[in-house]
């Protein structure tokens, strides 16, 4: 191995004055025949809510501990070394709290090298090394285990993963080289690329099946059984089979092909803007040959570039928004003001209303009653909800008893009097102002004076929806995103009449639904739809004036969005998209475009051509004829500037108008409600980085701007 010990890691230590150190505590465990196992327990002294993390001081202490154990092994005092964690936790990965302060590419590379220096010592002890995965093992936590010779896993471990690419990083402390050489390239691609992008983790049984762990033991006697198993390995009486180890044929035939398939999948799914998944692919391709040290050095260079680049800084910003700001929403009233919810009423029995009812009954565990114009619609809605509960039961996500209780809580009626004891009533009817006004005016006759009313409108004025109410102070906007069960955002819309009890109740209910809530003013489109309307309006305006669809998609590609504007239009529905553009044009005619062509496309009902599996092949020929005729096309470069400057202008106006309290809330909404990428930081850090903020209003949304100090180095010869 390279002599990482010759490096000066003091610049990293200087950044870590307040690190919560995860200490390496050693105790000797006597084995038979006079042998001794040195057991290292990682523990930061905090409870399970503050997992072990691996900062510079932690890693240096771990390295020193391994050096001492190596010396003892050389003297014959110990015959094996095992590492485990505090209860329920091995380690949750690197301590990223100070990464945003790393001042240079060189310091970033030191962090990569320090991880290799410390964790790699497990392979240099002169005696067998083990990791007993007793709990959560994420990122660097799993790489501790991969750097050892053998691994056991507790059957109850809920999360084992290398999630780095979702955070703008790569597994850079051995994972990108060691994992494919342990479990094969296809399995490694699943763990390093596919799972993070789908927000999935492995459970203990998965880790055993893939070959990450050599053996699995029950929780009750996990440590004892792991020690006994390690003793057999040390004694040579236990043979460890690893059927997923890659052989010569895999390296010659399957390796490059698997990486190529993964690269095409990645480009189709997220494009090429997000750097870290593509860098990880380069490392995985290179891992089929070369030495361990060469693999580690490639990781050093790649991780250094990512650490010092823009996208990691943006990812950390986005991560902190989701983990911290989302849990302390700006402008939220005291939770103590919230009304208890003992029964929920849902107006409507269509698909959206039924999804609401299912979510409320699952999360609140209170009676839920739905209503609609006739009994047939009501019965259909109740049947849908019962079927969804049965599906959850069949998937073993809920027990049979739980499913029966949930079904019993859901009822349907056409009699509004059955809403009399509901504390919370939400509507999911047609997106027409008059319809919503009449529905609420009618239901108000039947409900208690202090019951809360919520509207799921996506574009109408909540204040106007409540214009016919006797008590408009009880009305709040409660805007979900589709699909309701999955999308984590709710925009809670605060009107001039909404009182603090109503607003507090809405925020508490959102939390109980396990959603993140952002409070917005009652303005057209609120946050997410206003920004999407800006993007879609500019996109359709470009098409209307003669710009080809593909040029528009090329212009928006640098934003790194999960889909093109035209895929988004088909997803939300062409008629819905046309309505959203009309609404915003009516509100802000000088800044938002309407599109007659979009209405024609909505009548046609199709924009994209798909194959039998639903994969996009191109554009519908009739759709192309509908939009033909524009005479002033734009270039992708010009249109990209229009997108950037238009968004910078609109977001600045939204902040000046206090639609939300800060740029952070804009980004939180776009990340959680529209899938804007972590690695862009949402939208405002990107606009600062490309100069749009400076061009439009002579400043930046963030001071200083959220950007890195270097660029990602390309791996020579790694591209397909």
């Amino acid at each position: 191995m390279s002599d990482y010990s010759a490096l000066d890691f003091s610049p990293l230590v200087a950044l870590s004055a307040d690190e919560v150190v995860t200490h390496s505590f050693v105790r000797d465990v006597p084995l038979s025949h006079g042998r001794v196992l040195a057991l290292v327990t990682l523990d930061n002294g905090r409870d399970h809510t503050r997992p072990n993390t691996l900062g510079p001081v932690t890693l240096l202490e771990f390295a020193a501990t391994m050096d001492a154990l190596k010396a003892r092994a050389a003297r014959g005092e110990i015959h094996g070394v095992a590492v485990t964690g505090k209860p329920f936790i091995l380690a949750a990965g690197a301590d990223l709290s100070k990464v945003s302060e790393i001042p240079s590419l060189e310091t970033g590379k030191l962090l990569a090298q320090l991880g290799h220096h410390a964790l790699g010592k497990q392979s240099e002890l002169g005696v067998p090394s083990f990791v007993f995965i007793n709990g959560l093992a994420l990122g660097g936590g799993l790489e501790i285990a991969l750097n050892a010779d053998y691994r056991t896993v507790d059957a109850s471990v809920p999360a084992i993963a290398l999630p780095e690419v979702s955070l703008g990083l790569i597994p850079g402390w051995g994972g990108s080289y060691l994992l494919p050489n342990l479990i094969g390239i296809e399995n490694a691609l699943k763990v390093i690329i596919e799972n993070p992008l789908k927000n999935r983790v492995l459970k203990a049984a998965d880790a055993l099946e893939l070959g990450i762990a050599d053996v699995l033991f029950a929780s009750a006697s996990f440590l004892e059984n792991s020690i006994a198993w390690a003793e057999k390995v040390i004694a040579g009486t236990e043979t460890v089979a690893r059927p997923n180890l890659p052989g010569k044929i895999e390296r010659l035939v399957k390796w490059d092909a698997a990486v190529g398939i993964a690269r095409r999948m990645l480009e189709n799914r997220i494009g090429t803007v997000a750097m870290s998944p593509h860098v990880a692919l380069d490392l995985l391709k290179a891992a089929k040959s070369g030495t361990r040290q060469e693999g580690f050095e490639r990781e050093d260079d790649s991780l250094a570039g990512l650490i010092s680049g823009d996208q990691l800084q943006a990812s950390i910003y986005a991560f902190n928004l989701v983990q911290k700001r989302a849990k302390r929403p700006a402008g939220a009233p005291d939770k103590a003001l919230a009304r208890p919810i003992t029964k929920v009423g849902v107006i409507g029995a269509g698909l959206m209303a039924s999804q609401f009812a299912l979510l409320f009954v699952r999360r609140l565990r209170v009676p839920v009653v739905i209503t609609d114009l006739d009994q047939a619609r009501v019965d259909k809605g109740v049947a849908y909800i019962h079927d969804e509960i049965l599906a959850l039961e069949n998937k073993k996500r809920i027990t049979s008893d739980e499913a029966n209780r949930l079904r019993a809580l859901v009822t349907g009626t056409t009699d509004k009097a059955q809403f009399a004891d509901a504390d919370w009533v939400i509507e999911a009817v047609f997106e027409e102002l008059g319809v919503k006004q009449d529905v609420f005016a009618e239901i108000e006759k039947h409900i208690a004076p202090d019951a809360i009313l919520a509207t799921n409108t996506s574009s109408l004025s909540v204040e106007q929806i409540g214009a016919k109410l006797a008590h408009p102070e009880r009305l709040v906007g409660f805007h979900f995103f589709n699909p309701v069960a999955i999308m984590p955002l709710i925009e809670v819309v605060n009107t001039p009449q909404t009182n603090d009890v109503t607003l507090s109740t809405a925020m508490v209910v959102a939390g109980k639904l396990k959603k993140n809530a952002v409070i917005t003013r009652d303005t057209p489109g609120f946050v997410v739809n206003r920004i999407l309307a800006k993007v879609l309006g500019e996109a359709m305006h470009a098409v209307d004036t003669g710009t080809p669809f593909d040029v528009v998609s090329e212009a928006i590609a640098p934003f790194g969005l999960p889909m093109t504007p035209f895929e988004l239009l088909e997803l939300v529905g062409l008629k819905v998209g046309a309505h959203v553009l009309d609404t915003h044009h009516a509100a802000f005619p000088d800044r938002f475009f309407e599109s007659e062509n979009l209405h024609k496309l909505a009548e046609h009902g199709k924009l994209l051509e798909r194959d039998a599996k639903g994969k996009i092949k191109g554009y519908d020929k009739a759709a192309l004829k509908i939009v033909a005729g524009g005479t002033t096309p734009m270039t992708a470069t010009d249109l990209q500037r229009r997108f950037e400057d238009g968004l910078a202008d609109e977001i600045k106006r939204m902040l000046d108008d206090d639609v939300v309290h800060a740029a952070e809330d804009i980004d939180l909404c776009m990340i959680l409600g529209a899938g804007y990428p972590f690695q862009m930081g949402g939208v405002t850090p990107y606009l600062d980085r490309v100069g749009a903020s400076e061009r439009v209003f002579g400043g930046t949304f963030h001071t200083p701007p959220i950007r890195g100090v270097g660029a990602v180095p390309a791996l020579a010869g790694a591209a397909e």
Side-chain angles (χ1 to χ4, degrees):
M1 294 288 290
S2 173
D3 189 11
Y4 285 118
S5 61
L7 297 171
D8 177 14
F9 296 113
S10 61
L12 293 174
V13 176
L15 292 174
S16 307
D18 57 352
E19 178 183 335
V20 178
V21 178
T22 297
H23 294 289
S24 298
F25 298 104
V26 183
R27 68 181 175 96
D28 287 354
V29 178
L31 307 177
S32 59
H33 305 292
R35 299 188 185 97
V36 174
L37 176 72
L39 180 63
V40 180
T41 301
L42 304 176
D43 194 339
N44 64 3
R46 308 291 180 89
D47 66 18
H48 67 280
T49 62
R50 181 59 167 89
N52 295 333
T53 51
L54 308 174
V57 177
T58 296
L59 290 169
L60 288 169
E61 180 178 319
F62 184 87
T65 300
M66 291 296 135
D67 285 341
L69 292 174
K70 180 179 181 180
R72 292 185 63 199
R75 296 193 296 269
E77 298 173 10
I78 58 174
H79 304 85
V81 173
V83 177
T84 194
K86 69 181 185 180
F88 314 114
I89 307 286
L90 179 60
D95 182 354
L96 297 179
S97 62
K98 295 294 183 180
V99 169
S100 61
E101 299 176 19
I102 287 179
S104 66
L105 184 74
E106 292 73 23
T107 308
K109 187 169 183 175
L110 274 181
L111 184 58
Q113 292 169 322
L114 176 54
H116 285 131
H117 166 68
L119 305 187
K121 288 181 178 292
Q122 294 173 95
S123 66
E124 305 169 348
L125 293 168
V127 293
S129 58
F130 305 83
V131 170
F132 303 155
I133 306 172
N134 68 304
L136 184 81
L138 303 178
L142 178 53
E143 286 174 302
I144 294 172
L146 294 174
N147 275 274
D149 300 325
Y150 304 96
R151 288 152 292 279
T152 71
V153 66
D154 185 314
S156 69
V157 174
I160 297 171
L162 293 172
E164 285 88 346
V165 299
S166 66
L167 294 172
L169 293 168
I170 46 96
W173 289 346
S176 297
Y177 177 82
L178 295 173
L179 188 66
N181 284 295
L182 176 68
I183 66 173
I185 185 60
E186 290 178 329
N187 289 331
L189 285 165
K190 177 180 179 180
V191 175
I192 292 176
I193 305 293
E194 181 182 337
N195 284 358
L197 297 180
K198 293 183 177 179
N199 198 28
R200 291 177 180 169
V201 297
L202 303 172
K203 295 187 177 181
D206 303 319
L208 178 67
E209 181 180 354
L210 289 174
I212 292 173
D214 296 310
V215 63
L216 177 148
F217 295 119
S219 301
S221 53
F222 172 69
L223 184 58
E224 294 89 337
N225 284 339
S226 293
I227 291 170
W229 183 82
E231 181 174 6
K232 293 177 184 176
V233 173
I234 292 168
T237 59
E238 179 75 28
T239 301
V240 179
R242 289 180 176 157
N244 292 333
L245 281 175
K248 183 178 290 186
I249 293 177
E250 177 172 345
R251 294 182 191 279
L252 289 174
V253 179
K254 290 175 59 178
W255 201 286
D256 287 353
V259 172
I261 292 169
R263 195 181 300 278
R264 289 189 289 276
M265 176 276 294
L266 198 60
E267 290 174 357
N268 288 334
R269 185 169 175 210
I270 66 168
T272 58
V273 173
M275 296 177 181
S276 59
H278 292 281
V279 174
L281 277 179
D282 292 341
L283 289 170
L284 287 167
K285 181 178 181 180
K288 75 171 180 177
S289 59
T291 65
R292 179 186 181 110
Q293 181 56 34
E294 289 168 344
F296 284 10
E297 289 173 357
R298 288 192 294 265
E299 290 180 0
D300 290 338
D301 291 337
S302 298
L303 190 57
L306 291 168
I307 286 173
S308 58
D310 290 338
Q311 291 191 0
L312 178 62
Q313 301 301 321
S315 293
I316 291 172
Y317 163 78
F319 182 80
N320 286 332
L321 290 183
V322 172
Q323 295 297 317
K324 297 177 182 178
R325 190 173 183 90
K327 293 175 173 57
R328 294 187 291 276
D334 188 343
K335 291 181 180 179
L337 296 173
R339 288 206 59 215
I341 304 301
T342 61
K343 182 177 179 179
V344 170
V346 179
I347 305 174
L351 180 59
M352 183 67 81
S354 299
Q355 289 183 63
F356 290 168
L358 179 64
L359 180 65
F360 277 96
V361 76
R362 283 196 69 199
R363 299 298 185 215
L364 301 188
R365 305 298 173 97
V366 299
V368 175
V369 58
I370 67 173
T371 189
D372 213 310
L373 296 174
D374 56 62
Q375 193 63 44
R377 298 186 197 194
V378 170
D379 292 344
K380 184 178 179 181
V382 172
Y384 169 86
I385 297 163
H386 285 184
D387 287 346
E388 290 297 300
I389 292 170
L390 177 62
L392 292 169
E393 180 184 354
N394 290 338
K395 292 175 184 175
K396 308 296 185 186
R397 293 177 59 185
I398 56 176
T399 65
S400 295
D401 287 344
E402 189 177 1
N404 289 332
R405 285 195 296 272
L406 292 178
R407 278 189 286 266
L409 288 170
V410 178
T411 58
T413 183
T414 57
D415 180 9
K416 305 296 192 301
Q418 291 195 30
F419 280 60
D421 56 346
D423 309 293
W424 175 277
V425 177
I426 185 168
E427 65 80 17
V429 299
F430 294 117
E431 190 74 350
E432 294 181 12
L433 180 61
V435 173
K436 292 181 186 288
Q437 287 176 333
D438 292 344
V439 159
F440 274 140
E442 170 64 22
I443 205 70
E444 192 176 31
K445 300 173 185 175
H446 301 279
I447 60 175
D450 55 355
I452 306 297
L453 294 173
T455 172
N456 181 53
T457 184
S458 60
S459 60
L460 300 175
S461 164
V462 177
E463 183 178 12
Q464 289 180 26
I465 288 172
K468 295 183 180 180
L469 289 173
H471 296 285
E473 71 278 359
R474 66 161 83 186
L475 177 64
V476 66
F478 208 69
H479 180 215
F480 286 89
F481 293 82
N482 217 357
V484 170
I486 296 172
M487 296 300 286
L489 179 69
I490 293 176
E491 290 176 324
V492 174
V493 185
N494 185 22
T495 79
Q497 284 78 35
T498 305
N499 63 26
D500 281 353
V501 170
T502 301
L503 191 60
S504 175
T505 304
M507 297 301 287
V508 169
V509 167
K512 289 182 177 179
L513 295 177
K514 298 186 178 179
K515 302 293 186 181
N516 299 116
V518 174
I519 296 173
T520 85
R521 276 192 61 221
D522 185 20
T523 58
F526 317 128
V527 173
V528 174
N529 281 345
R530 183 162 167 181
I531 291 175
L532 292 182
K534 187 67 180 175
V535 172
L536 296 177
E538 291 288 348
M540 281 309 304
H541 174 68
V543 171
D544 294 343
T545 54
T547 310
F549 286 123
D550 285 337
V551 173
V552 178
S553 297
E554 180 187 346
I556 200 73
F559 284 76
L561 302 182
M563 60 186 70
T564 70
F566 311 111
E567 292 173 77
L568 178 60
L569 276 170
E570 277 218 338
L571 179 67
V572 302
L574 297 173
K575 289 185 178 180
V576 172
H579 174 71
V580 168
L581 294 196
D582 289 347
T583 301
H584 284 81
H585 176 71
F588 311 112
D590 57 325
R591 303 195 308 277
F592 284 79
F593 294 103
E594 59 185 346
S595 173
E596 183 180 345
N597 278 336
L598 184 53
H599 281 279
K600 292 178 181 177
L601 289 170
E603 288 302 315
H604 173 60
K606 190 175 183 183
L607 175 54
L608 300 171
E609 190 73 41
R610 299 174 186 269
D611 63 19
K613 295 182 179 179
K615 185 177 179 181
I616 296 170
K617 296 193 300 181
Y619 297 96
D620 179 69
K621 291 182 176 60
L624 291 173
K625 290 181 180 178
I626 288 171
V627 302
T631 57
T632 55
M634 287 179 254
T635 67
T637 301
D638 290 341
L639 185 53
Q640 181 182 340
R641 178 68 66 94
R642 280 188 66 93
F643 277 129
E644 292 171 352
D645 291 2
L647 283 172
D649 174 68
E650 200 60 37
I651 291 170
K652 182 65 163 59
R653 291 173 186 269
M654 293 166 72
L655 294 174
D656 290 345
D657 197 31
D658 200 30
V659 175
V660 289
H661 291 283
E664 287 81 356
D665 296 315
I666 298 278
D667 292 317
L668 187 60
C669 285
M670 298 313 294
I671 290 165
L672 297 180
Y676 268 45
F678 260 51
Q679 293 172 355
M680 295 289 105
V683 61
T684 64
Y686 170 84
L687 296 173
D688 285 348
R689 287 196 302 273
V690 298
S693 311
E694 187 70 36
R695 292 194 299 267
V696 170
F697 59 87
T700 53
F701 291 110
H702 303 276
T703 306
I706 297 165
R707 59 165 55 104
V709 295
V712 178
L715 284 176
E720 290 294 308

